[in-house]
Amino acid sequence: MTASDRPGPARPDPEPARPDVTPSAAAAGRLAATVESLRRQLQEAQAVADGRALIELAKGVLVARLGCGPAEADRQLTRLAAAAGVPRLELAADVVNDAAHDRIGDAADAVGEVAAHGPAADPADAGGPPPGVRLRTAESGALAATDTQTVASSLLEHALAPLGACAVAIWAAGPDGSLTLAGHAGYTEPEARRWRYVPPAVATVARRALEARAALSFRAAPAPREDVPSMRPECGAGGRIAVPAGAGGRVDVVLEICWPEEPPPLSPAVLRQIDAMAGLCAHTLVPVPGVPGPLPVDELIDICDALHDPAVVLTPLTGSDGNVTDFRISHTNASFVDPAGRPRGAVSGATLLEAYPSGAGDGHVFDAAVRVLATGEPFRARHMVLTSLIEHVELTVVAEVGISRHGAHLLLIWRPEDETARLDDLLQHAQRLGGLSGFEENVRTGEITWNSELFALYGKNEHSAPVPLEDLRLHAHADDSAAIGRFLRTVSRHHRAASVAFRLRRPDGVTRHIRVVAEPVLDTDGRLLAVRGAYQDVSSQHWTEVALAATQDRLAHSEEQAAESDRLALQLQHAIMPPTRGPLDAPGLEVAVRYRPAETESLVGGDWYDAVVLPSGHVLLCVGDVAGHGIEAATSMVVLRNALRGLAVTGAGPGQLLSWLNVVAYHLTDRVTATVVCGLYIPATRSLRWARAGHLPPALLRGEEATTLPPGQGILLGAVPETAYEEQETRLRPGDTLLMYTDGLVERRDSSVTDSVAHLLATARDAAASSLEQRLDRLLAGSRSDTDDDTCVIGIRVI
């Protein structure tokens, strides 16, 4: 055996490297682990206790319904749960919900109905206890709590955390509209201390819900009008919902629920759960230390009696839905004065709307009282009308009204408005609006009294000496001295009231236009004692009159120019196109023309016609309408008419003539647009070659028939630089009559063009006459056009 095999003392294995842990750090770690373990055990015990409370409540329901003892009720609960295949806690919740018929039970039933007919009602239905168990467990924890802080923790843990919420705050509404943090969960203590009290003026999330008296939702990314100050939970500044709740028409608490992100879409059933939790908060609200509670009604009555102003104590009356329907006048103080003169006994004990029925309108006293009761924010109104109805006669008083909430009661105080003070206030407003300043000058003592507005009018401070009337000319423009002298003589010597307008020159260089009115004050012997009156600053009125006069001059000049332009346009139009013209010397053809100008001379239009025999013996017939009115339309009409005459001498057909005329309208004018129908009658063949540029086609009267010629293609003149126009040819017979016209003959505002042309054809068939001239006259007389536009008609009869 070698030395290495000999037994010897065992060598310890080398130890692994250990972190450098000091004894104090190790002790702190063990303490933290112990605290965490105890916390979990406490939570588990609390959950068991909450469940046990719910089961005990269900056993009590069974004892009452079955008439058995507690032990039998426990066995029945176990047996029923086994038969239904559900846990005892879930069955207990169903039993309590069925017996309670309260908001929590209704909310649980609503979720159950949705789950039975569709997808899960809320995010918590995918797993975990049913909604009925969660809500009743939260209720058990809240009812067993000794402070609102524990209530908040129970709500968050059992009812709201399954919905994804991460924090909850319970705000107690104060009698002045302020908010106090009564309980919270999910917030750090420093943050909660910072938001312990919120004054009425701070528009937080809860404050807005209190004012609206309705649930409000705020997204995670605030919209422009949703960026409000709010307490930040540990999970971050996510979305939140604020739900007000209370009883007897007042809001006692606001339940604020926070999510780490934007709140998930919540169904109406889940919103009912949240509303039920808010109602539970109002029911279990524990008074917050350091915050004064509501006054007892006896103390409120004592305060009411100590007031010198009329005051009443109002008690709300609510309907079956919890909304306020009226207020009982529970007490009136000794200073009470009814607007109708009724004694205190006739009003005390009645309802507010019985005593003052007109107070039910929006913005009146009843609406203000309901809002104060709900939000706790005092109401003040300087001028409110209180009206009572006595034997169908309305008696009214104007008063300053104040309403404040004290627990479940309201204190209504009003101070009837002093008529003298009110009239004085109205007089001051009238003086301010009218720019009036009063004065009085004692002639015998020389004492002058000005009000403050008059010092400002003169550009002086109130410690300066007033200006006597006899020195008025020293402060006025030199040109106004004579008028001021007549004014002073009328008042001082003739003892008659007078007025004068002058230009006041102030020390600061500003000139104001002033009117002063004065009247003498005489003694019993007719001697002058004083002069009193008022100054009025009429500078604004003066410059307005100057500006108005200048505007009237410019308007008159503009109207004169417009009338002259219309007169020239009308003269030009009548010179070129008389209403009728002599017979046209065309072989085998009878031509008649009618032109009817617009009834309003200011609407001189651009309608035109032409009928001329060309050197070739052909007859040029055309009717056109230039867009617009006035001198521009008239001169454009002359340009197109003369251009077409010149182009027709070339012997080109109607289609080519219109193509050239389009070039003239587009390039050689200021972009004139017009419609034209152009025809070329050839006597040798009795044929009509014609084309149109956006115009109505001609009408052909043959025997007893009246039709329109088939329209060819062609857009209006001046729309495009170059275009072609389709040319058509129609063979006429002896006795045929052709009508070429503008839309002024047929156009109506309430009818389509097709209907208007159909009416024209019917009129043409009925307008048969011995001569073509008479036929055109009858067509004009039967026209239904209502557009007040020019009308041109050319009639051509083949002989």
Side-chain angles (χ1 to χ4, degrees):
M1 185 173 62
T2 63
S4 61
D5 295 330
R6 296 173 184 169
R11 296 179 180 178
D13 295 331
E15 294 184 357
R18 295 184 180 180
D20 185 12
V21 179
T22 63
S24 58
R30 287 192 299 271
L31 180 59
T34 302
V35 170
E36 179 62 23
S37 175
L38 292 175
R39 188 183 65 82
R40 286 196 302 268
Q41 294 176 15
L42 179 61
Q43 289 178 343
E44 293 172 359
Q46 185 67 41
V48 172
D50 292 341
R52 185 180 298 111
L54 182 58
I55 290 176
E56 292 299 324
L57 190 60
K59 287 165 58 177
V61 173
L62 293 178
V63 167
R65 287 187 173 182
L66 301 178
C68 61
E72 179 61 25
D74 184 70
R75 286 192 293 271
Q76 288 289 343
L77 186 63
T78 304
R79 188 179 305 114
L80 292 174
V86 296
R88 272 168 45 100
L89 193 61
E90 183 175 344
L91 181 62
D94 292 339
V95 171
V96 174
N97 289 337
D98 182 66
H101 297 294
D102 57 0
R103 295 167 68 180
I104 295 179
D106 293 341
D109 293 342
V111 176
E113 292 176 3
V114 174
H117 297 89
D122 63 70
D125 290 339
V133 176
R134 291 192 286 102
L135 297 179
R136 287 300 176 186
T137 303
E139 180 191 33
S140 299
L143 293 176
T146 57
D147 55 45
T148 311
Q149 183 72 17
T150 308
V151 174
S153 300
S154 180
L155 294 185
L156 179 62
E157 178 183 358
H158 298 295
L160 301 176
L163 299 178
C166 65
V168 63
I170 301 175
W171 301 94
D176 58 349
S178 62
L179 292 171
T180 304
L181 186 60
H184 63 90
Y187 296 93
T188 63
E189 284 302 323
E191 183 74 0
R193 285 194 299 270
R194 192 165 68 92
W195 286 89
R196 187 188 65 83
Y197 174 78
V198 179
V202 180
T204 61
V205 172
R207 174 66 186 171
R208 291 193 173 187
L210 178 65
E211 292 177 346
R213 288 176 279 174
L216 297 181
S217 177
F218 294 82
R219 300 192 299 271
R225 297 186 62 182
E226 296 177 357
D227 189 11
V228 294
S230 59
M231 187 166 57
R232 292 178 173 268
E234 294 180 287
C235 59
R240 60 194 67 209
I241 290 178
V243 184
R250 67 184 185 276
V251 177
D252 296 316
V253 302
V254 179
L255 178 63
E256 184 177 344
I257 308 167
C258 299
W259 279 261
E261 300 294 339
E262 184 173 347
L266 300 178
S267 65
V270 175
L271 291 177
R272 290 179 66 176
Q273 295 183 48
I274 295 176
D275 184 65
M277 292 299 99
L280 180 62
C281 292
H283 179 71
T284 60
L285 181 65
V286 179
V288 182
V291 177
L295 288 175
V297 66
D298 294 339
E299 294 185 17
L300 182 60
I301 291 175
D302 291 341
I303 293 176
C304 179
D305 289 336
L307 297 174
H308 296 289
D309 294 320
V312 298
V313 175
L314 302 177
T315 301
L317 303 176
T318 57
S320 57
D321 56 355
N323 293 326
V324 177
T325 58
D326 206 342
F327 291 89
R328 180 76 61 191
I329 302 177
S330 303
H331 181 74
T332 58
N333 66 356
S335 302
F336 176 81
V337 177
D338 181 62
R342 293 172 293 188
R344 294 173 56 191
V347 177
S348 186
T351 68
L352 183 63
L353 295 183
E354 287 174 354
Y356 307 101
S358 63
D362 291 340
H364 288 70
V365 65
F366 179 79
D367 183 61
V370 171
R371 185 170 187 84
V372 172
L373 178 67
T375 65
E377 183 175 359
F379 171 81
R380 295 289 182 272
R382 186 175 180 184
H383 302 284
M384 177 171 280
V385 178
L386 299 176
T387 304
S388 55
L389 193 64
I390 306 299
E391 296 181 354
H392 305 288
V393 177
E394 289 188 352
L395 300 176
T396 302
V397 64
V398 179
E400 180 179 354
V401 176
I403 307 175
S404 58
R405 189 180 82 181
H406 303 274
H409 304 274
L410 298 182
L411 180 62
L412 170 63
I413 306 172
W414 72 80
R415 181 180 295 114
E417 193 173 63
D418 182 34
E419 187 67 15
T420 303
R422 188 171 70 88
L423 293 177
D424 183 63
D425 189 40
L426 290 176
L427 178 60
Q428 291 183 5
H429 283 296
Q431 290 177 343
R432 177 180 57 83
L433 294 175
L436 295 172
S437 307
F439 73 92
E440 184 175 87
E441 183 173 333
N442 191 311
V443 176
R444 297 184 178 179
T445 64
E447 181 182 0
I448 302 175
T449 303
W450 279 10
N451 61 6
S452 58
E453 288 80 6
L454 190 50
F455 283 99
L457 182 63
Y458 266 82
K460 295 174 171 287
N461 60 59
E462 296 189 10
H463 301 289
S464 303
V467 176
L469 284 179
E470 63 182 12
D471 295 341
L472 195 60
R473 280 176 286 198
L474 300 178
H475 298 269
H477 194 278
D479 295 343
D480 298 328
S481 296
I484 293 175
R486 290 191 297 270
F487 162 74
L488 294 177
R489 286 193 297 272
T490 301
V491 176
S492 302
R493 296 182 184 179
H494 303 294
H495 298 172
R496 295 198 306 266
S499 66
V500 65
F502 65 97
R503 286 160 287 182
L504 176 67
R505 303 177 68 177
R506 304 196 322 184
D508 55 6
V510 176
T511 299
R512 308 294 295 178
H513 290 262
I514 304 298
R515 180 181 300 278
V516 58
V517 181
E519 65 175 2
V521 179
L522 307 178
D523 61 11
T524 55
D525 296 330
R527 290 174 296 185
L528 184 63
L529 291 176
V531 176
R532 60 190 175 193
Y535 287 78
Q536 183 180 20
D537 187 352
V538 294
S539 301
S540 300
Q541 177 183 349
H542 170 78
W543 292 117
T544 301
E545 292 174 353
V546 171
L548 180 60
T551 302
Q552 289 175 339
D553 291 342
R554 289 194 298 269
L555 180 60
H557 181 65
S558 299
E559 290 178 347
E560 183 179 351
Q561 285 184 323
E564 180 65 16
S565 176
D566 293 337
R567 186 182 63 81
L568 292 176
L570 192 62
Q571 287 181 347
L572 177 63
Q573 194 177 53
H574 287 176
I576 298 175
M577 291 182 301
T580 61
R581 59 174 296 172
L584 184 69
D585 187 12
L589 200 65
E590 179 183 358
V591 179
V593 174
R594 289 292 183 272
Y595 170 71
R596 183 177 63 187
E599 295 182 5
T600 304
E601 293 185 358
S602 61
L603 295 179
V604 175
D607 289 18
W608 56 280
Y609 66 86
D610 204 1
V612 62
V613 179
L614 300 176
S616 62
H618 299 169
V619 180
L620 176 67
L621 304 165
C622 57
V623 169
D625 185 1
V626 176
H629 294 87
I631 189 67
E632 294 82 3
T635 54
S636 299
M637 171 266 294
V638 174
V639 171
L640 295 182
R641 183 174 183 268
N642 293 338
L644 185 58
R645 275 194 172 191
L647 293 171
V649 177
T650 62
Q656 183 61 58
L657 291 177
L658 291 184
S659 296
W660 289 339
L661 194 62
N662 177 71
V663 175
V664 173
Y666 189 88
H667 293 285
L668 303 182
T669 63
D670 293 334
R671 294 293 179 87
V672 172
T673 57
T675 63
V676 179
V677 60
C678 176
L680 198 63
Y681 179 72
I682 304 172
T685 58
R686 291 196 182 95
S687 62
L688 177 72
R689 296 167 58 193
W690 67 283
R692 72 185 190 98
H695 204 87
L696 294 173
L700 177 62
L701 311 181
R702 178 172 287 170
E704 296 182 356
E705 297 294 327
T707 60
T708 58
L709 297 183
Q713 298 295 325
I715 65 173
L716 78 166
L717 302 179
V720 295
E722 295 183 2
T723 185
Y725 293 88
E726 181 182 354
E727 185 176 304
Q728 301 188 70
E729 185 172 353
T730 303
R731 289 298 181 95
L732 302 178
R733 304 174 188 175
D736 287 353
T737 298
L738 193 71
L739 298 177
M740 303 170 71
Y741 54 90
T742 59
D743 55 6
L745 181 66
V746 298
E747 192 173 33
R748 285 186 62 84
R749 296 183 178 91
D750 58 350
S751 301
S752 64
V753 175
T754 303
D755 294 341
S756 299
V757 172
H759 179 266
L760 171 66
L761 297 178
T763 304
R765 284 193 296 267
D766 298 337
S770 58
S771 69
L772 182 61
E773 300 278 349
Q774 292 176 345
R775 190 164 204 167
L776 295 188
D777 290 337
R778 292 182 181 179
L779 282 177
L780 288 176
S783 171
R784 297 192 308 167
S785 175
D786 62 356
T787 57
D788 194 23
D789 202 358
D790 295 352
T791 301
C792 289
V793 184
I794 294 182
I796 304 103
R797 177 182 292 175
V798 180
I799 302 174

